[in-house]
């Protein structure tokens, strides 16, 4: 099956610092999604990317869909305490014809810890 | 208030017993999904359904069963055949069953512990 490598596995940063994490895939995707998960909760969608090269922002978050369609990164600027959590990338390869509600392939997550 | 609900939040069962996890959505979404999450791991797809009365196996379907009798509901049964059922189970839904724009939204999860 498809493999997603997400790095780093964990990050210890100071409040106010910028954060960067990325995912690489062994195969191409048509869609990249970034989620944040708090302990004991379901993941919450942060950013969705649908086109190679696309750069999308959501407040202090910026994500890019790599040109090769095999990678994506997420940046968080000026981190604050509520940014703590686990960030997951997820990819999906879907076609226009035939469709199919395939599930997402997830990375193993980046655990963000912020020191005040 | 639209959303996805999963119940219960915590579930304990004895080894060898079947257990059914509930997932309901009022978003009018066509597609629904079940994922399993283990500590330190990403989510892995168990089953998904594009439409009522139809469902497909995901990557780790062995030991699980599902039904989709109503658009709003997609219950998951963890059977005694599942070798390691203790995990965090997440249900998700998306608006379309086909096409490129298919953002999945997740419920709050059910933590199943088999004693």
């Amino acid at each position: 099956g498809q493999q997603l490598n997400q790095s780093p596995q964990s990050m210890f940063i100071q409040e106010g610092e910028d954060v960067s994490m990325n995912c690489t895939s062994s195969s191409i995707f048509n869609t990249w999604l970034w989620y944040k998960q708090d302990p004991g909760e379901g993941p919450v969608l942060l950013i969705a990317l649908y086109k190679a090269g696309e750069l999308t922002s959501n407040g202090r978050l910026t994500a890019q869909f790599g040109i090769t369609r095999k990678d994506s990164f997420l940046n968080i600027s000026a981190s604050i305490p509520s940014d703590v959590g686990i960030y997951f990338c997820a990819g999906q390869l879907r076609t226009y014809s035939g469709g199919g509600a395939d599930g997402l392939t997830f990375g193993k997550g980046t655990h963000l810890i912020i020191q005040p | 208030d639209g959303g996805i609900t999963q119940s219960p939040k915590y579930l304990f069962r004895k080894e060898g017993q079947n257990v059914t996890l509930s997932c309901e959505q009022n978003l009018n979404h066509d597609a629904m999904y079940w994922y399993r999450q283990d500590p330190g791991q990403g989510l892995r797809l168990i089953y998904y359904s594009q439409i009522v009365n139809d469902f497909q196996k995901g990557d780790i379907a062995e030991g699980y069963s599902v039904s989709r009798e109503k658009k709003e509901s997609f219950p998951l049964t963890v059977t005694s055949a599942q070798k390691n059922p203790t995990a965090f189970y997440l249900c998700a839904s998306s608006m379309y069953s086909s096409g490129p724009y298919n953002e999945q939204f997740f419920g709050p999860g059910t933590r199943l512990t088999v004693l």
Side-chain angles (χ1 to χ4, degrees), chain A residues 35-45 88 104 106, chain B residues 2-10 21-27 29 31-37 43 72 74 88-94 103-111:
Chain A
Y35 288 88
K36 177 176 183 272
Q37 185 179 31
D38 291 326
E41 301 295 329
V44 174
L45 182 64
F88 289 100
L104 298 168
F106 279 82
Chain B
I4 304 172
T5 57
Q6 292 185 244
S7 61
K9 183 69 173 175
Y10 299 95
L21 281 59
S22 166
C23 178
E24 304 276 334
Q25 55 96 2
N26 61 4
L27 301 167
H29 283 177
M32 297 185 74
Y33 313 79
W34 274 104
Y35 292 88
R36 170 186 172 134
Q37 186 176 29
L43 283 65
E72 304 79 25
F74 191 40
F88 190 45
Y89 290 88
L90 288 155
C91 178
S93 70
S94 62
E103 298 165 5
Q104 293 185 21
F105 297 93
F106 285 83
T110 291
R111 185 165 299 280

Side-chain angles (χ1 to χ4, degrees), chain A residues 46-108:
Chain A
L46 299 174
I47 290 181
L49 301 160
Y50 298 109
K51 191 188 299 185
E54 179 182 1
L55 183 72
T56 297
S57 294
N58 178 10
R60 293 179 296 106
L61 277 60
T62 302
Q64 185 158 30
F65 193 143
I67 291 290
T68 65
R69 295 168 63 194
K70 290 185 177 182
D71 63 312
S72 177
F73 72 74
L74 175 71
N75 288 343
I76 305 172
S77 63
S79 58
I80 59 177
S82 62
D83 291 335
V84 165
I86 303 176
Y87 292 79
F88 289 100
C89 63
Q92 188 170 44
L93 179 63
R94 311 197 71 224
T95 58
Y96 286 86
S97 61
D102 298 329
L104 298 168
T105 299
F106 279 82
K108 292 188 176 182

